[in-house]
Amino acid sequence: MAKLPIITLPDPILRGRSAEIEQVDDATRRLIDDMLETMYAAPGVGLAAVQVAVPRRLLVCDVSDKDEERRPLALINPEIVRLGDRTRPYEEGCLSIPDVTVEIERPASLTVRYVDREGKQQELEADGLLATVIQHEMDHLEGKLIIDFLSRLKRDMVVRRFKKQARGAM
Ligand code: NI
């Protein structure tokens, strides 16, 4: 396994729509393993493939507690089947936007259909943090980021800050 570099704001790759994965093969499984290693090292609870500059419809997550056994999940071509009526606010961060958090209110439960690492169709019911993480990562597949939930003024401020930082690093 290998740790991959995580791209950050304002990298335009983050704003594109990720493409379907047509075939789940060894390369896909290697990417999943690398993404999990990258996510655990960050550390983070979720990562979309586009965040490692691979604009494909794939996300990994693990919401287990630190002292618990790991429960890695990989969702390929995920689709929401059902969203719950109740909502849940959560202060979300993003590995592609370091040091920024945004409180976002999303459906508290959902059912998602996806293809697993063996290429099999699966359905998963999720609530709590897992439901939040899945929705956050699925937003990435559409090029949507947590800062899009801010007012335009606040969003522009964050983007400007990251553009300035990116210039400074060059
Ligand atoms: Ni994110």
Side-chain angles (χ1 to χ4, degrees):
M1 291 207 282
K3 227 178 81 183
L4 306 167
I6 296 174
I7 59 172
T8 55
L9 206 68
D11 194 317
I13 295 175
L14 289 170
R15 288 310 198 169
R17 183 181 187 273
S18 295
E20 299 268 316
I21 291 181
E22 271 149 36
Q23 200 184 341
V24 180
D25 52 21
D26 285 343
T28 317
R29 285 182 279 273
R30 201 171 318 125
L31 175 60
I32 289 170
D33 290 339
D34 289 347
M35 283 172 60
L36 282 166
E37 184 175 338
T38 305
M39 178 189 80
Y40 287 128
V45 290
L47 187 71
V50 66
Q51 294 180 274
V52 291
V54 180
R56 299 282 164 218
R57 304 186 81 77
L58 162 64
L59 63 91
V60 297
C61 58
D62 187 339
V63 298
S64 60
D65 282 330
K66 260 198 293 261
D67 46 355
E68 262 183 323
E69 210 179 304
R70 282 177 173 177
R71 288 197 306 269
L73 255 176
L75 277 58
I76 299 164
N77 299 337
E79 276 180 66
I80 298 287
V81 181
R82 186 195 60 86
L83 287 171
D85 296 329
R86 289 197 10 253
T87 59
R88 168 183 195 269
Y90 191 77
E91 192 81 24
E92 298 183 23
C94 180
L95 294 175
S96 293
I97 316 174
D99 304 321
V100 172
T101 60
V102 181
E103 189 181 88
I104 301 174
E105 186 136 358
R106 302 183 190 265
S109 63
L110 58 82
T111 307
V112 62
R113 188 178 297 147
Y114 65 98
V115 173
D116 70 13
R117 61 182 291 143
E118 307 307 328
K120 288 200 199 98
Q121 279 274 358
Q122 301 282 357
E123 222 172 82
L124 171 74
E125 281 180 34
D127 59 15
L129 181 58
L130 183 57
T132 297
V133 172
I134 288 172
Q135 290 171 83
H136 173 119
E137 302 310 331
M138 284 184 71
D139 276 353
H140 276 297
L141 307 187
E142 304 304 325
K144 188 171 181 181
L145 301 169
I146 52 172
I147 53 170
D148 299 342
F149 290 84
L150 295 170
S151 69
R152 190 188 184 104
L153 186 77
K154 282 187 181 164
R155 182 171 68 237
D156 288 350
M157 270 168 54
V158 174
V159 172
R160 255 202 310 278
R161 176 147 56 87
F162 276 83
K163 277 186 177 158
K164 211 187 253 174
Q165 273 172 17
R167 273 200 304 273
M170 274 192 264

